[in-house]
Amino acid sequence: AVVINLFTETGIPLFGADGIQLKFGGVFTSFPAFLFGPISGGVVCAASDIIGCIIKPMGAYVPWFTITAFIRLGPSFVFK
């Protein structure tokens, strides 16, 4: 998912600046949650967030974003 985020991100300029960034790695971080459950999906999302911050930092590392990446897999609770 980290590699796909690095190579498929596109920016849509708004008023001359980067306004919106589209990334498709979220699809691939959701698959482990649907297949193996919410805990393993959360671990994959958190690991993807940490590895992404190491490979291509886009500012300061904020651990609260990693925690929300771990928690955001609410739909996986429905399917497991």
Side-chain angles (χ1 to χ4, degrees), residues 22-54:
L22 296 174
K23 298 181 180 183
F24 301 104
V27 175
F28 298 103
T29 55
S30 297
F31 281 144
F34 292 131
L35 294 175
F36 303 114
I39 301 298
S40 62
V43 169
V44 169
C45 283
S48 173
D49 185 49
I50 292 170
I51 293 169
C53 288
I54 292 171

